[in-house]
Amino acid sequence: MEEKMRINKYLASCNVASRRKCEEIISSGKVTLNGKVVKELATMVDVKKDKVTVFGKPVELDNSKVYYMLNKPAGVISASKSKYGEETVVDIIGKKEHRLFPVGRLDKDTTGLIILTNDGDFAYKLTHPKYEKEKTYEALVKGHIDSKGLERLKKGVVIDGKKTSKAKVRLIKMAGNNSLIEITIIEGRKRQVKKMCERVGHKVLKLKRTMENGLGLGDLQEGEYRKLTKNEVNRLLR
């Protein structure tokens, strides 16, 4: 264990939230270090001596980390809590020995693989763009997508004023009047796959995440979950 670490990493290691969310909490002035409010993300914490509070409550390191894989059903939101009483991915797993939060997010109507953990540093490494972790989806799109459309997706298209990175794309099959495609991206922009497909003229009818950085759902059915093995956690971080 490091004796000193940046306060954002420290809070994430205390299971407050993902590192990015912790940065927001720090910047909003909700964190104190030895009784003084800190907003500077580069502030260093002596993990053995310093006293840190978040929203007025003391926090401390929890060295026991857990990791779950869930096959998210449609209609469930990717959050720890809901303001409007909606079912969350954390609700499905239920109260465990640790306070869990989802790594990244899937839209409410999107199904498939999502990771939940209490390890903020792990979540940061899976979601920050600089680590370029692959996420694979199966998308049922309206109409028959042709080779030109597939090629455009592979090369990247402009959404929200910015071109997407190159993607891996293949046609799985034609499904009646629609097409089932597999698409692998390394970014995690909001509604990215849906917007990419719409950009080439094909609305997404159904979307499922099937794999993250080489780790797939296997035989996990919708609504089911399991703990990840140490080897699987290492694979995700590779």
Side-chain angles (χ1 to χ4, degrees):
M1 174 64 64
E2 300 173 57
E3 290 188 3
K4 290 188 177 183
M5 63 176 73
R6 284 167 60 111
I7 195 161
N8 56 341
K9 183 177 180 181
Y10 177 79
L11 293 185
S13 299
C14 292
N15 307 330
V16 171
S18 66
R19 201 191 299 189
R20 245 190 283 193
K21 183 64 177 178
C22 287
E23 291 174 356
E24 294 176 14
I25 295 171
I26 294 164
S27 298
S28 68
K30 305 300 183 183
V31 178
T32 69
L33 175 64
N34 299 324
K36 295 182 179 180
V37 174
V38 291
K39 293 187 178 181
E40 177 53 57
L41 301 181
T43 300
M44 299 301 291
V45 176
D46 186 319
V47 301
K48 292 184 178 180
K49 299 178 182 178
D50 290 337
K51 305 297 182 184
V52 179
T53 71
V54 180
F55 299 110
K57 296 181 180 180
V59 296
E60 55 186 36
L61 290 173
D62 178 1
N63 295 320
S64 55
K65 306 300 182 186
V66 292
Y67 312 87
Y68 287 89
M69 175 196 292
L70 166 69
N71 188 344
K72 187 185 91 65
V76 177
I77 64 170
S78 301
S80 300
K81 297 178 181 178
S82 168
K83 295 179 181 178
Y84 309 106
E86 299 163 294
E87 186 178 21
T88 73
V89 289
V90 173
D91 290 333
I92 291 179
I93 293 181
K95 291 184 178 180
K96 300 295 181 183
E97 65 273 25
H98 303 280
R99 190 169 64 83
L100 301 172
F101 55 87
V103 179
R105 66 185 303 277
L106 294 174
D107 290 343
K108 186 175 179 179
D109 62 347
T110 299
T111 64
L113 193 158
I114 190 165
I115 306 296
L116 293 95
T117 185
N118 63 340
D119 186 344
D121 195 47
F122 167 85
Y124 176 78
K125 290 175 180 175
L126 245 61
T127 55
H128 197 283
K130 73 178 181 181
Y131 292 104
E132 296 188 346
K133 300 297 184 183
E134 289 189 339
K135 300 173 182 66
T136 301
Y137 299 81
E138 285 185 2
L140 179 67
V141 301
K142 190 173 183 178
H144 287 178
I145 190 167
D146 58 19
S147 58
K148 187 179 291 185
L150 295 172
E151 194 61 30
R152 286 181 65 194
L153 291 174
K154 289 177 185 178
K155 291 181 177 179
V157 294
V158 176
I159 60 171
D160 301 325
K162 183 181 177 183
K163 191 174 182 180
T164 60
S165 297
K166 290 182 179 180
K168 298 175 184 176
V169 187
R170 71 181 182 92
L171 175 66
I172 298 175
K173 66 178 181 179
M174 295 297 183
N177 295 323
N178 304 313
S179 311
L180 184 65
I181 66 170
E182 181 183 81
I183 179 167
T184 300
I185 59 175
I186 58 171
E187 299 168 292
R189 292 155 66 179
K190 189 173 181 180
R191 299 184 70 250
Q192 181 172 339
V193 173
K194 292 177 181 178
K195 289 180 179 179
M196 288 174 69
C197 292
E198 287 170 4
R199 192 74 177 86
V200 298
H202 296 275
K203 181 180 178 181
V204 172
L205 303 175
K206 287 185 180 179
L207 186 64
K208 177 180 182 178
R209 183 155 68 194
T210 57
M211 192 174 295
E212 190 155 348
N213 214 43
L215 181 64
L217 282 167
D219 58 2
L220 207 62
Q221 300 300 305
E222 280 192 20
E224 292 183 343
Y225 63 89
R226 66 173 177 82
K227 278 188 174 181
L228 296 180
T229 66
K230 185 176 181 180
N231 285 340
E232 287 173 332
V233 172
N234 291 335
R235 183 176 183 177
L236 286 167
L237 293 174
R238 230 180 275 159

